[in-house]
Amino acid sequence: EIVMTQSPDTLSVSPGESVTLSCRASQSVSSNLAWYQQKPGQAPSLLIYDASTRATGIPARFSGSGSGTEFTLTITSLQSEDFVVYYCQQYNNWPPMLTFGQGTKLDIK
Amino acid sequence: QVQLVESGGGVVPPGTSLRLSCAASGFSFTTYALHWVRQAPGKGLEWVALLSYDGTNKYYTDSVKGRFTISRDNSRNTLYLQMNTLRVEDTAVYYCAKDGGSAAYYGYYFHYWGQGTLVTVSS
């Protein structure tokens, strides 16, 4: 099983600032990585797939990068609705054994 | 727009069975693979199962193999998850999700999600 590790678990930043969230895979997943946002009491929603492709309707202030084992999600000009939980997910192995990171929570400083 | 509506959750004792349903609309149901993903209370996300667009290929996470069965009825635009021999650790919100790919290939990521249905396994 490919283990995904996100860091940090919680990040405190101020509105208007930029932030970078990290996700590391225990082995290479190529560019087969997605990012999700989950607001309290809601289902997750897709932000990024294939490591750097924004999903439909996602604003340009969300960007993903990386390949292999190291990935980042960068959010610029943080808005109040961005202070929620973010998960990464890999989809590189066969047969499929899709795994998520444990999540990073963005807190308002 | 894409809509996925789960139902069938509830409180059940360990060792019993439950069947979840996910009614889909707003897209060509027969063209896409579908998944179940779960989230234990206060915890992270765990992929449970994947079913191909035509129902022929099924994949499961190890902890549910032999106990859970994913299926679909393309005439009813509905996805199912039959859960047998339930354990306390199966307690979670269960989401159905549309795969990000198409009939030509799987995306293996989760493009759209339902609102989830809560399954509580407790004596």
Side-chain angles (χ1 to χ4, degrees), chain B:
Chain B
Q1 72 281 20
V2 173
Q3 279 202 309
L4 300 165
V5 180
E6 302 92 337
S7 61
V11 181
V12 296
T16 61
S17 299
L18 204 58
R19 188 177 83 156
L20 306 182
S21 299
C22 172
S25 61
F27 65 100
S28 178
F29 185 79
T30 58
T31 308
Y32 291 91
L34 296 164
H35 302 260
W36 287 99
V37 179
R38 67 184 178 183
Q39 186 170 35
K43 302 298 184 182
L45 299 165
E46 180 183 28
W47 170 74
V48 174
L50 161 62
L51 182 61
S52 61
Y53 71 99
D54 60 359
T56 57
N57 297 303
K58 306 177 183 185
Y59 306 95
Y60 301 92
T61 193
D62 287 345
S63 63
V64 308
K65 283 179 183 175
R67 300 189 301 125
F68 289 12
T69 301
I70 189 171
S71 63
R72 64 194 295 162
D73 184 339
N74 282 353
S75 68
R76 297 175 182 264
N77 284 12
T78 302
L79 175 72
Y80 301 101
L81 185 67
Q82 177 67 43
M83 304 186 295
N84 297 332
T85 318
L86 281 161
R87 304 168 180 169
V88 171
E89 55 265 34
D90 294 320
T91 295
V93 173
Y94 284 74
Y95 299 101
C96 69
K98 175 179 169 290
D99 187 77
S102 67
Y105 82 107
Y106 297 98
Y108 297 115
Y109 57 90
F110 314 106
H111 198 177
Y112 293 97
W113 301 63
Q115 86 291 346
T117 187
L118 176 61
V119 173
T120 302
V121 184
S122 174
S123 54

Side-chain angles (χ1 to χ4, degrees), chain A residues 9 11 19 34 43 47 60-61 69 71 73 75 82 85 88 103 109:
Chain A
D9 289 336
L11 198 49
V19 68
L47 293 173
R61 56 197 186 80
T69 62
F71 300 87
L73 173 69
I75 314 170
D82 300 334
V85 180
C88 62
K109 182 185 283 187

Side-chain angles (χ1 to χ4, degrees), chain A residues 23-52:
Chain A
C23 176
R24 174 176 292 176
S26 60
Q27 63 189 75
S28 176
V29 298
S30 186
S31 295
N32 297 312
L33 185 109
W35 289 94
Y36 303 86
Q37 178 190 67
Q38 187 174 31
K39 299 178 179 179
Q42 295 186 20
S45 59
L46 177 66
L47 293 173
I48 302 282
Y49 62 96
D50 293 347
S52 60

